[in-house]
C-alpha cells in the first residue's frame, strides 16, 4: 500500500466532439488497478486542492502584431528575402519518455523514442540506473537509430530509465545540449529530460550565476538542475516541487534518481505528458500515446497540469504542484505536432484533424474535381474535407522520406530545388483538374508558393489552398520554435495578399471561432497565443530564448547557433485587430 495524494475532482467535461458519458465524481489522481478503455474518462482539471488516500498500486485577416515587436519593417514584396530556405512548418522541440520497473527499461526507452522521432530528429539520449545505483548516460547527435546500437544499449542496464529526442542546433554547442542532462549534488545524482520552454530562463540563470552556479550548456533545462541542487526542501521530490515553483512557461519533464522516476507538468499543461502501464506492472511516461502503443503499455491517463507523480518501490504518489485557474494546452498538438494515432489532451488527434477538414469544406467550399494533401500532416484534414465535400481524395503529391538536411545541388540551379527533393506531383491526378490542396498551416508562405507552382507546372487547372488552422500571427514561447512575429506571413498580410503571394486561385483558413466552437466547453482550456498574440504566461524579459531551429518542415535549410538564437518578446499582451477581423477566406472565381 502506498500513500497517494490526489486533487479533488471538478465536474468539467472532457474535450470531445461527442457527448461524454457521465464522469463519476471522485478524486481522479491515483493509479487505478484496472485498464481504462476511454481516455475521456479523465477530464482536464486544474489543481486546486489535495487529500491523502491509501490505494493499491496496480484570426484576423491581417494583424499588426509586428508593430509591438519590431521597428524594422519590410514590404510584403520583400518577404521572401528573409529566408533562403524552403522550411515553412512549426517545429515541436522535444519528446520525452520514462520507464520504471522493467528489466529492459533502456531498450523500451529506445523503442519509445523511435515512436516520438517526429518530435525531434537531430539529437537523442537515454539515462539508465544500473544495479549499483549509478546513472549512466548515452547521448548523441542524429536519429535514434543513429545514436543507439546493441552495444550502446548494453551499457544501459537497469529497470529505471528516461529518454529524450530533440531538435538541436549546429555548431560546437550542439552535442552538449542534447538531453537527458545528468548532474550530481550532495545527496546523489539526478537526470532530467524536458519538453517545453521557460520564459524566465535568463532571469533565473543570472540569479544562479550571481550565487556561484556554473553552467555547462545554453539550455534552459540546466537551470532546473541548479534549482534542485540549491533547494533546501526534503525529501528529494519536494526539491523538484520547490524548483518548479520558480519556473514560468512550459515544461513537461521526467526525472530519474537512484531509485525514483518523477514526472511533472507545468500548471498550465502547455505540453502533453501521458502515463501508461505494461502488463508486468512497469510504469511508463511519454509525450504521446503512440510511444505507449509501440512498447505495449496501456494508456491510463494524462499527467495533469500542475501535477507531480513520483514512482518508486512503494508505488505511485501524486502531488499538487500549484493551483491555477485553468489549463492552457497547446492546440497545435492537434493541428500538426502529434501523430494522428495519438491521444493528446484526452482526445484522438486523428478525429480532430478530420473534423478540421470538414469545417473547411463547410465554411470555405469551392467547385473542384479532386482533393489532395500536403503530406504527411495535411492528409487527415484532406480526408475530412473530401468526405464532407463529396469529392474524391487522391495522392497528388508524393513525399520522399529519404532526404536528409544536406544534399548536392547541380551547378545549374534548379528552381524550388528543396521542395522538389521532398515532394513530387502526380501528373495523372492533377492534369486538367480543379484541385483543392489541404495543408495544416502556413508559417512564412515560402513553401506554399513553391507547392502551388509545382502543382500548376504538373498541369493543375486551378489550385485552391485550404489551411486546417487559423492564421499564425504570433511567436510561441512555450516550446514551439518560431521566428519573430514580423516574419510570419499572416501577421504581415491579409488573406488576399497571402493568396496573391502564394499564387493560388483561392485561399481559406480554419476560422478561429469555429475551432473554439468545436472544442465546446473545453475551449478555454487551450492556448491560442500563436493565433491571437494573447499569452497565458507573458514573457517578462526583453528577449526570449529560441530553443532550436526556425519553424520548418524539414525540407532543408541552414541551422542557427543556439547561443545566438533570441527573439524579441512582445511589449504588450493585447493585440489590436484591424477592421477585417472576420474575413478568413479569399475566394476568387
Amino acid at each position: 500500500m502506498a500513500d497517494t495524494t490526489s486533487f479533488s475532482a471538478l465536474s468539467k467535461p472532457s474535450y470531445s466532439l461527442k457527448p461524454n458519458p457521465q464522469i463519476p465524481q471522485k478524486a481522479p489522481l491515483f493509479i487505478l488497478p484496472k485498464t481504462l478503455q476511454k481516455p475521456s474518462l479523465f477530464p482536464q482539471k486544474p489543481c486546486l486542492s489535495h487529500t491523502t488516500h491509501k490505494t493499491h498500486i496496480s484570426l484576423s485577416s491581417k494583424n499588426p502584431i509586428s508593430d509591438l515587436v519590431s521597428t524594422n519593417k519590410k514590404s510584403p514584396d520583400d518577404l521572401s528575402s528573409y529566408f533562403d530556405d524552403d522550411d515553412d512548418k512549426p517545429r515541436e522541440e522535444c519528446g520525452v519518455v520514462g520507464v520504471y520497473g522493467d528489466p529492459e527499461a533502456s531498450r523500451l526507452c529506445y523503442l519509445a523514442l523511435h515512436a516520438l522521432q517526429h518530435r525531434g530528429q537531430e539529437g537523442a539520449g537515454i539515462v539508465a540506473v544500473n544495479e549499483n545505483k549509478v546513472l549512466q548516460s548515452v547521448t548523441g547527435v542524429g536519429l535514434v537509430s543513429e545514436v543507439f546500437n546493441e552495444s550502446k544499449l548494453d551499457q544501459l542496464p537497469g529497470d529505471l530509465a528516461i529518454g529524450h529526442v530533440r531538435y538541436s542546433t549546429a555548431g560546437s554547442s550542439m552535442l552538449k545540449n542534447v538531453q537527458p542532462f545528468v548532474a550530481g549534488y550532495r545527496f546523489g545524482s539526478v537526470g532530467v529530460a524536458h519538453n517545453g520552454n521557460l520564459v524566465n530562463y535568463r532571469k533565473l540563470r543570472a540569479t544562479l550565476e550571481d550565487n556561484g552556479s556554473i553552467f555547462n550548456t545554453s539550455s534552459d533545462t540546466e537551470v532546473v538542475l541548479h534549482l534542485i541542487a540549491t533547494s533546501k526542501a526534503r525529501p528529494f521530490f519536494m526539491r523538484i516541487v520547490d524548483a518548479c515553483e520558480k519556473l514560468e512557461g512550459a515544461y513537461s519533464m521526467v526525472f530519474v534518481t537512484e531509485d525514483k522516476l518523477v514526472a511533472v507538468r507545468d500548471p498550465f499543461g502547455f505540453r502533453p505528458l501521458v502515463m501508461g502501464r505494461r502488463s508486468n506492472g512497469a510504469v511508463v511516461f511519454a509525450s504521446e500515446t503512440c510511444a505507449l502503443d509501440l512498447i505495449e503499455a496501456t494508456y491510463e491517463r494524462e499527467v495533469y497540469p500542475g501535477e507531480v507523480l513520483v514512482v518508486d518501490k512503494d508505488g505511485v504518489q501524486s502531488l499538487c504542484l500549484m493551483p491555477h485557474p485553468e489549463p492552457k494546452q497547446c492546440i497545435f498538438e492537434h493541428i500538426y505536432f502529434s501523430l494522428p494515432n495519438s491521444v493528446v489532451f484526452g482526445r484522438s488527434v486523428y478525429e480532430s484533424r478530420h473534423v478540421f477538414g470538414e469545417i473547411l469544406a463547410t465554411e470555405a467550399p469551392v467547385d473542384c474535381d479532386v482533393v489532395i494533401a500536403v503530406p504527411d500532416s495535411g492528409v487527415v484534414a484532406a480526408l475530412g474535407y473530401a468526405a464532407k465535400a463529396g469529392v474524391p481524395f487522391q495522392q497528388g503529391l508524393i513525399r520522399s522520406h529519404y532526404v536528409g538536411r544536406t544534399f548536392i545541388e547541380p551547378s545549374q540551379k534548379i528552381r524550388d530545388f528543396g521542395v522538389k527533393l521532398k515532394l513530387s506531383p502526380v501528373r495523372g491526378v492533377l492534369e486538367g483538374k480543379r484541385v483543392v490542396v489541404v495543408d495544416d498551416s502556413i508559417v512564412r508562405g515560402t513553401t506554399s508558393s513553391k507547392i502551388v507552382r509545382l502543382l500548376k507546372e504538373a498541369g493543375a487547372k486551378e489550385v485552391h489552398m485550404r489551411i486546417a488552422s487559423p492564421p499564425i500571427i504570433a511567436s510561441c514561447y512555450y516550446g514551439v520554435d518560431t521566428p519573430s512575429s514580423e516574419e510570419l506571413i499572416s501577421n504581415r498580410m491579409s488573406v488576399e495578399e497571402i493568396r496573391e503571394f502564394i499564387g493560388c486561385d483561392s485561399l481559406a483558413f480554419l476560422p478561429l471561432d469555429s475551432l473554439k466552437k468545436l472544442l465546446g466547453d473545453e475551449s478555454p482550456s487551450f492556448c491560442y497565443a500563436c493565433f491571437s498574440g494573447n499569452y497565458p504566461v507573458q514573457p517578462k524579459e526583453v528577449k526570449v530564448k529560441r530553443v532550436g531551429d526556425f519553424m520548418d518542415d524539414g525540407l532543408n535549410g541552414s541551422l542557427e547557433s543556439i547561443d545566438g538564437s533570441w527573439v524579441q518578446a512582445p511589449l504588450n499582451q493585447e493585440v489590436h485587430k484591424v477592421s477585417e477581423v472576420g474575413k478568413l477566406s479569399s475566394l476568387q472565381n
Side-chain angles (χ1 to χ4, degrees):
M1 305 287 282
D3 288 338
T4 301
T5 308
S6 60
F7 345 131
S8 60
L10 300 179
S11 55
K12 188 175 182 180
S14 63
Y15 166 31
S16 176
L17 293 177
K18 300 176 181 179
N20 291 317
Q22 184 65 34
I23 299 170
Q25 299 302 302
K26 63 172 71 175
L29 287 185
F30 56 91
I31 307 302
L32 296 179
K34 62 179 180 179
T35 299
L36 297 171
Q37 300 299 326
K38 297 291 185 182
S40 60
L41 291 178
F42 288 99
Q44 302 305 314
K45 309 290 190 208
C47 175
L48 299 177
S49 63
H50 64 270
T51 57
T52 301
H53 299 275
K54 293 282 186 177
T55 189
H56 288 286
I57 301 304
S58 350
L59 166 179
S60 66
S61 59
K62 186 175 182 181
N63 198 318
I65 191 174
S66 54
D67 293 342
L68 305 177
V69 297
S70 175
T71 56
N72 295 323
K73 296 198 174 192
K74 297 188 178 183
S75 68
D77 294 338
D78 296 330
L79 183 68
S80 59
S81 65
Y82 276 103
F83 316 105
D84 297 322
D85 61 280
D86 293 307
D87 295 342
D88 195 23
K89 286 295 173 198
R91 297 188 83 173
E92 169 64 69
E93 297 311 320
C94 306
V96 300
V97 63
V99 178
Y100 181 94
D102 195 289
E104 294 190 298
S106 63
R107 291 173 186 265
L108 293 176
C109 279
Y110 164 76
L111 292 173
L113 293 179
H114 266 296
L116 298 173
Q117 189 76 86
H118 60 287
R119 299 185 76 91
Q121 300 168 15
E122 292 172 15
I126 295 174
V127 171
V129 182
N130 67 17
E131 60 182 6
N132 297 319
K133 303 301 181 184
V134 175
L135 275 62
Q136 296 179 298
S137 173
V138 173
T139 61
V141 174
L143 300 175
V144 174
S145 59
E146 296 169 340
V147 173
F148 296 100
N149 53 34
E150 190 75 25
S151 63
K152 287 186 178 178
L153 291 173
D154 287 340
Q155 299 170 24
L156 299 170
D159 63 359
L160 175 56
I162 62 173
H164 190 269
V165 288
R166 64 164 286 147
Y167 279 111
S168 190
T169 52
S172 60
S173 65
M174 187 172 183
L175 179 58
K176 69 181 182 180
N177 283 288
V178 177
Q179 299 180 36
F181 293 154
V182 178
Y185 68 112
R186 55 182 173 170
F187 296 111
S189 297
V190 59
V192 60
H194 172 210
N195 176 25
N197 194 40
L198 306 179
V199 300
N200 62 337
Y201 159 73
R202 296 212 302 179
K203 179 180 179 181
L204 290 173
R205 177 164 177 160
T207 301
L208 288 163
E209 288 178 330
D210 287 344
N211 292 327
S213 293
I214 298 173
F215 284 77
N216 185 52
T217 76
S218 54
S219 170
D220 55 355
T221 309
E222 192 177 4
V223 166
V224 181
L225 290 174
H226 282 277
L227 291 173
I228 291 172
T230 57
S231 172
K232 308 297 184 186
R234 302 288 187 276
F236 166 76
F237 60 82
M238 291 307 299
R239 287 174 172 259
I240 294 177
V241 173
D242 185 45
C244 289
E245 286 177 345
K246 298 178 176 67
L247 306 179
E248 296 179 15
Y251 51 90
S252 287
M253 296 185 284
V254 288
F255 297 86
V256 64
T257 66
E258 292 89 342
D259 61 354
K260 288 181 175 60
L261 175 64
V262 181
V264 59
R265 196 166 165 216
D266 69 81
F268 288 93
F270 287 109
R271 309 253 62 88
L273 190 61
V274 298
M275 178 174 63
R277 189 182 298 273
R278 282 172 53 81
S279 59
N280 62 358
V283 176
V284 181
F285 297 106
S287 294
E288 291 182 40
T289 59
C290 61
L292 304 182
D293 295 338
L294 181 59
I295 62 175
E296 297 183 329
T298 301
Y299 172 90
E300 292 198 342
R301 65 174 179 87
E302 290 194 308
V303 177
Y304 287 85
E307 185 182 16
V308 180
L309 282 172
V310 183
V311 187
D312 58 19
K313 61 182 177 60
D314 296 320
V316 180
Q317 187 177 184
S318 173
L319 304 170
C320 177
L321 181 61
M322 62 181 71
H324 59 87
E326 60 188 358
K328 291 295 179 183
Q329 300 157 140
C330 177
I331 190 61
F332 240 95
E333 292 286 347
H334 278 271
I335 290 171
Y336 175 73
F337 297 136
S338 299
L339 285 186
N341 59 311
S342 285
V343 173
V344 176
F345 307 139
R347 135 163 202 86
S348 165
V349 175
Y350 186 98
E351 290 179 10
S352 292
R353 293 179 187 168
H354 199 275
V355 177
F356 295 162
E358 293 176 11
I359 293 173
L360 281 170
T362 301
E363 302 205 13
V366 65
D367 291 335
C368 62
D369 304 307
V370 65
V371 176
I372 70 170
V374 177
D376 294 314
S377 53
V379 170
V380 180
L383 288 169
Y385 188 102
K388 191 69 173 180
V391 177
F393 169 83
Q394 295 194 47
Q395 275 192 289
L397 287 169
I398 306 299
R399 185 181 183 109
S400 170
H401 295 272
Y402 308 106
V403 180
R405 280 197 166 272
T406 59
F407 37 77
I408 301 171
E409 186 174 2
S411 56
Q412 185 173 353
K413 187 172 178 63
I414 298 176
R415 187 171 66 167
D416 306 336
F417 180 58
V419 170
K420 288 178 178 176
L421 277 174
K422 279 283 187 181
L423 299 175
S424 303
V426 181
R427 183 173 291 271
V429 172
L430 303 169
E431 196 165 19
K433 302 288 182 59
R434 298 168 298 174
V435 179
V436 166
V437 55
V438 181
D439 203 357
D440 59 89
S441 60
I442 295 180
V443 179
R444 297 167 171 136
T446 50
T447 297
S448 297
S449 64
K450 294 168 185 177
I451 288 172
V452 170
R453 188 157 56 234
L454 205 62
L455 296 174
K456 292 198 171 184
E457 288 175 353
K461 181 181 178 181
E462 297 175 8
V463 176
H464 303 274
M465 289 286 293
R466 295 295 178 266
I467 309 302
S469 71
I472 302 172
I473 65 165
S475 296
C476 175
Y477 303 106
Y478 311 129
V480 181
D481 194 16
T482 63
S484 57
S485 292
E486 67 268 20
E487 297 171 76
L488 299 169
I489 193 169
S490 292
N491 182 52
R492 300 180 57 83
M493 299 183 187
S494 68
V495 173
E496 172 61 20
E497 289 170 336
I498 297 172
R499 186 200 65 76
E500 292 178 359
F501 178 85
I502 291 172
C504 57
D505 294 277
S506 73
L507 171 66
F509 291 84
L510 178 70
L512 181 56
D513 288 344
S514 297
L515 174 60
K516 291 181 177 180
K517 183 178 179 181
L518 165 69
L519 300 176
D521 292 339
E522 287 298 307
S523 176
S525 298
F526 287 84
C527 176
Y528 311 99
C530 56
F531 306 137
S532 67
N534 298 320
Y535 295 94
V537 181
Q538 184 73 3
K540 296 182 175 64
E541 300 172 353
V542 176
K543 291 189 176 182
V544 178
K545 189 71 174 177
R546 281 178 58 187
V547 286
D549 318 332
F550 42 77
M551 296 171 78
D552 68 39
D553 64 353
L555 293 181
N556 76 349
S558 60
L559 303 177
E560 301 175 305
S561 167
I562 195 168
D563 297 309
S565 188
W566 297 87
V567 293
Q568 184 78 30
L571 303 180
N572 190 326
Q573 186 169 351
E574 295 298 324
V575 178
H576 301 288
K577 298 183 178 181
V578 299
S579 58
E580 293 182 287
V581 62
K583 186 178 179 183
L584 286 173
S585 65
S586 172
L587 305 178
Q588 177 175 309
N589 295 327

